[in-house]
Amino acid sequence: MQVDLLIRDVQVYNSYFKQFVPGNAAILDGRFYYIGQRGTETFEAGEIIEGKGRYMIPGLIDIHLHIESTMVTPQTFSYGLIRNGVTTIVPEPHEMANVFGLSGIKEMIRASQDCVVDMFYAIPSSVPATGMETTGGAIDLEEIDELLASERIICLGEIMNYVDVITDPDCKTNRILRHIRQQYPELIIEGHCPKLLDLELQQFIYAGVDSDHTHQTVEGMKQRIAAGMFIEIQEKSMTDEVMQFLREHDVSEHFCFVTDDVMTDSLYRRGHLNYLVAKAIGMGMSPERAIYAATFAPARRMRLYDRGAIAPNKIADFLLLSDLENLSIERVYKAGRLVYEQTAVDEQIVERGTFPAHFYQSVQLPLLAEADFTVKSEGDDQPYQARVMMVKDGSTFTSEAWTEVMVQDGEVRWQESPYALIATFERYGKNGNRAYGLIGGDILKRGAIATTYSHDNHNLLVIGYNPQDMALAANQVISQQGGFCAVENGKVLANLRLPVGGILTEEPLAETAKDVEALRQAMEDLGYRHYNPIMSVSTLSLPVSPALKITDLGLIDVNQGKVVPFLTRA
């Protein structure tokens, strides 16, 4: 029998029994043809690979992530994924949709078409995530219908506004959910519901949402699985308690591993989904179950029945591993073709200027002055109680605290407080909104940082201890059409340029990783103490992530789903 490729003497992972079986694998026309003991006595192969007892597992599948979180283009992202054994992803271009709406989604899909990694897209369902922010674009029923009719769509992306889903039957999100259930009843619906339990959780599921990828606790996970939810475990949920539960209970069909958001330097230095699988093994999960949770389980969740297993007629996406415990990848194959080899010279070729011209001119905001960081107040000259957003290492959630500040001559004397100022400026040229608050906790202790990479609205966000540094950081970002800048004493410490929509770069992965590392180091040098300071800052404007956040409309009490005042009378 003629086949294209024969891999001999490998330990083949069988997804159906969750075990490794010694044997051979034959591939024809990009799909597995035969798995078993037969070899050259049966098959005449165009190429024969001697496995020498190495482990052969399916290509890894990540069903919940945002390419924009890595701040690179789909082409560069695909390059980074393949090096780490990820062959299929389900990206949700939520961030680009917030900047450009429908065209942002379409351009991301177009930029993915020639990538080595298969990218099946999720429609961003929550753009904007709430009605309490200004974005560059919006997605509603008309845009959803167009995407489902014309693009490579696999699911409705994470339903984020869980407060409105539960409390407001006529809200936009519920209109979208009713439309999907009536017009596209087979479409998968992904969810985002941190901390929901009991009745509220089941109300959310009743609305049609049957997955959750947010920070898990054992009790929350038990309730979700018991109610029929599929759980997507990202790294911050991999606590000792959660991993013990997953090891000790037969829930393999009810969860998978996902990355959600991965920084560029982490992708380049540490890895991607492969890192989570290796971490799970290091935390006591058997390799067989950990691999299942990154291959077969996610494939089944997204009904990608042609992959996720090494079996006849499945797409021949697979990895050859030299070490199972550490998931050491020697080779990666996509549809039977070698696409990465650990020992080969590996240089990335990048393309620039591939997006429409207006994608490089999205920051419609004039340069700022020091006076723009003066906080005006119509209050009398007296002390006031001010809300403070408190950041804590280990989470992107914040908490609310209070402090006393003086109002004098119509200005809030914020510099006399022990806290930094956080300010946001609408950057799409729509209304000129701006808002201010105080921020403390595990953040920078001096200097300033500014960014247009601020979830989900991507308006300009600035944090600092003096107007001079804040204006310098802000204007550096504005003048380069987006990015991230750290400043101290009038000097730029680190600068990351993100000219595509103010959130992406077209530079190579290695170069961007160095810039991100320098930015992370500068933030830490300024006193930021967080496991991921870049993500911490970027989520301070996310009005669906508890508890106190800020948008261009003001401070947001996320749990109540409303704008709340900065100051109240003492």
Side-chain angles (χ1 to χ4, degrees):
M1 297 180 185
Q2 295 284 339
V3 294
D4 299 321
L5 180 64
L6 178 65
I7 304 101
R8 300 199 301 187
D9 183 24
V10 282
Q11 298 290 325
V12 182
Y13 180 72
N14 184 285
S15 301
Y16 307 101
F17 286 108
K18 299 187 186 71
Q19 66 183 34
F20 284 93
V21 179
N24 308 318
I27 294 167
L28 178 65
D29 295 332
R31 292 178 178 265
F32 293 112
Y33 183 75
Y34 170 83
I35 312 296
Q37 300 304 311
R38 292 178 179 270
T40 52
E41 77 284 358
T42 301
F43 300 108
E44 183 175 334
E47 180 184 2
I48 296 175
I49 295 173
E50 298 296 339
K52 300 180 180 179
R54 287 176 290 190
Y55 296 92
M56 182 177 180
I57 70 171
L60 305 182
I61 299 172
D62 193 338
I63 62 171
H64 180 80
L65 59 80
H66 308 279
I67 295 174
E68 303 99 314
S69 294
T70 313
M71 300 182 284
V72 296
T73 61
Q75 179 192 57
T76 296
F77 195 65
S78 174
Y79 164 84
L81 292 179
I82 287 296
R83 298 168 80 246
N84 291 289
V86 181
T87 54
T88 299
I89 62 172
V90 180
E92 182 188 332
H94 185 87
E95 316 309 336
M96 198 61 86
N98 272 278
V99 178
F100 292 115
L102 180 64
S103 67
I105 299 172
K106 285 180 169 286
E107 288 300 327
M108 287 293 284
I109 295 174
R110 185 186 63 80
S112 306
Q113 289 175 349
D114 296 325
C115 291
V116 176
V117 171
D118 285 334
M119 301 186 184
F120 299 92
Y121 273 78
I123 297 177
S125 63
S126 304
V127 180
T130 71
M132 298 175 290
E133 58 194 313
T134 302
T135 60
I139 301 298
D140 211 322
L141 300 183
E142 182 179 351
E143 290 78 14
I144 289 172
D145 286 341
E146 181 173 341
L147 288 166
L148 285 168
S150 64
E151 303 292 346
R152 196 182 196 186
I153 301 299
I154 200 168
C155 67
L156 184 68
E158 57 181 304
I159 298 293
M160 300 178 71
N161 196 356
Y162 55 92
V163 174
D164 279 0
V165 170
I166 294 168
T167 62
D168 183 1
D170 298 320
C171 71
K172 173 184 171 181
T173 305
N174 276 324
R175 284 195 295 106
I176 289 174
L177 285 170
R178 285 193 294 269
H179 181 73
I180 293 297
R181 295 175 74 179
Q182 292 169 5
Q183 301 299 321
Y184 311 97
E186 298 302 314
L187 189 68
I188 299 161
I189 301 174
E190 292 285 274
H192 168 119
C193 55
K195 297 188 175 181
L196 284 190
L197 295 172
D198 197 41
L199 175 60
E200 291 181 330
L201 173 64
Q202 297 195 30
Q203 287 177 299
F204 192 62
I205 298 171
Y206 182 81
V209 187
D210 64 350
S211 79
D212 181 36
H213 69 275
T214 58
H215 196 163
Q216 299 295 326
T217 64
V218 171
E219 179 58 30
M221 190 165 55
K222 287 169 66 176
Q223 288 198 24
R224 282 158 172 72
I225 292 174
M229 260 193 166
F230 186 85
I231 309 301
E232 297 163 5
I233 299 290
Q234 54 177 298
E235 186 178 5
K236 64 185 178 184
S237 291
M238 295 175 70
T239 62
D240 290 338
E241 297 80 10
V242 166
M243 295 305 294
Q244 180 180 355
F245 177 86
L246 295 176
R247 291 195 308 270
E248 295 178 352
H249 294 80
D250 184 17
V251 292
S252 294
E253 308 306 317
H254 306 292
F255 85 96
C256 72
F257 294 118
V258 299
T259 59
D260 198 4
D261 303 297
V262 175
M263 292 287 101
T264 324
D265 55 341
S266 181
L267 173 60
Y268 186 71
R269 304 290 184 196
R270 194 177 72 165
H272 197 259
L273 192 60
N274 57 319
Y275 173 79
L276 298 192
V277 175
K279 182 172 182 174
I281 295 170
M283 296 180 76
M285 184 175 284
S286 71
E288 291 82 358
R289 291 186 68 180
I291 291 166
Y292 189 90
T295 55
F296 197 75
R300 283 293 179 95
R301 165 64 186 170
M302 287 295 156
R303 302 178 193 146
L304 293 168
Y305 300 127
D306 62 353
R307 66 196 68 208
I310 298 174
N313 199 36
K314 304 297 185 187
I315 294 174
D317 295 349
F318 64 93
L319 321 179
L320 292 180
L321 309 177
S322 58
D323 180 83
L324 183 61
E325 297 294 323
N326 296 314
L327 218 74
S328 301
I329 300 170
E330 285 196 359
R331 291 184 175 188
V332 179
Y333 287 79
K334 185 78 187 72
R337 181 173 64 89
L338 179 66
V339 291
Y340 171 74
E341 189 169 12
Q342 185 184 37
T343 58
V345 176
D346 186 27
E347 294 184 3
Q348 183 190 359
I349 300 173
V350 298
E351 296 180 39
R352 295 182 176 86
T354 59
F355 288 87
H358 70 279
F359 275 52
Y360 304 90
Q361 298 293 327
S362 66
V363 181
Q364 301 297 314
L365 182 66
L367 295 179
L368 302 179
E370 294 176 17
D372 290 302
F373 300 97
T374 298
V375 183
K376 301 291 187 180
S377 173
E378 297 179 357
D380 300 330
D381 289 1
Q382 65 178 39
Y384 282 78
Q385 286 293 307
R387 280 185 169 86
V388 184
M389 186 188 306
M390 298 299 292
V391 175
K392 187 175 182 179
D393 189 7
S395 177
T396 54
F397 295 166
T398 64
S399 60
E400 179 182 276
W402 291 85
T403 192
E404 185 174 274
V405 295
M406 282 295 298
V407 170
Q408 187 174 338
D409 300 326
E411 296 180 8
V412 179
R413 312 292 287 186
W414 64 267
Q415 285 182 267
E416 298 172 7
S417 80
Y419 300 105
L421 181 70
I422 181 168
T424 185
F425 301 84
E426 185 273 317
R427 60 102 156 176
Y428 299 103
K430 291 187 173 183
N431 52 41
N433 285 349
R434 58 182 60 187
Y436 303 92
L438 294 180
I439 185 168
D442 295 332
I443 62 157
L444 71 165
K445 300 300 183 285
R446 58 191 181 277
I449 48 179
T451 185
T452 50
Y453 183 77
S454 55
H455 297 303
D456 280 332
N457 47 72
H458 300 292
N459 287 310
L460 178 67
L461 189 71
V462 190
I463 302 171
Y465 286 89
N466 66 81
Q468 297 81 16
D469 283 349
M470 296 178 79
L472 176 58
N475 288 337
Q476 178 68 43
V477 170
I478 293 169
S479 63
Q480 67 195 24
Q481 279 297 306
F484 222 124
C485 183
V487 168
E488 184 181 19
N489 295 328
K491 179 182 178 182
V492 173
L493 303 181
N495 182 42
L496 175 65
R497 297 175 183 272
L498 301 174
V500 183
I503 58 175
L504 299 183
T505 177
E506 294 179 312
E507 297 305 312
L509 183 65
E511 184 176 324
T512 304
K514 290 179 182 178
D515 289 341
V516 170
E517 286 172 345
L519 173 63
R520 187 191 300 268
Q521 186 61 58
M523 294 174 69
E524 291 175 355
D525 290 344
L526 291 175
Y528 219 113
R529 294 292 175 262
H530 198 276
Y531 75 96
N532 189 339
I534 297 173
M535 183 57 64
S536 173
V537 167
S538 72
T539 53
L540 297 176
S541 58
L542 182 59
V544 292
S545 175
L548 184 67
K549 297 296 172 74
I550 189 170
T551 74
D552 61 302
L553 271 66
L555 292 170
I556 309 297
D557 184 320
V558 176
N559 294 326
Q560 294 188 55
K562 68 179 184 179
V563 179
V564 292
F566 175 26
L567 302 179
T568 63
R569 290 190 180 274

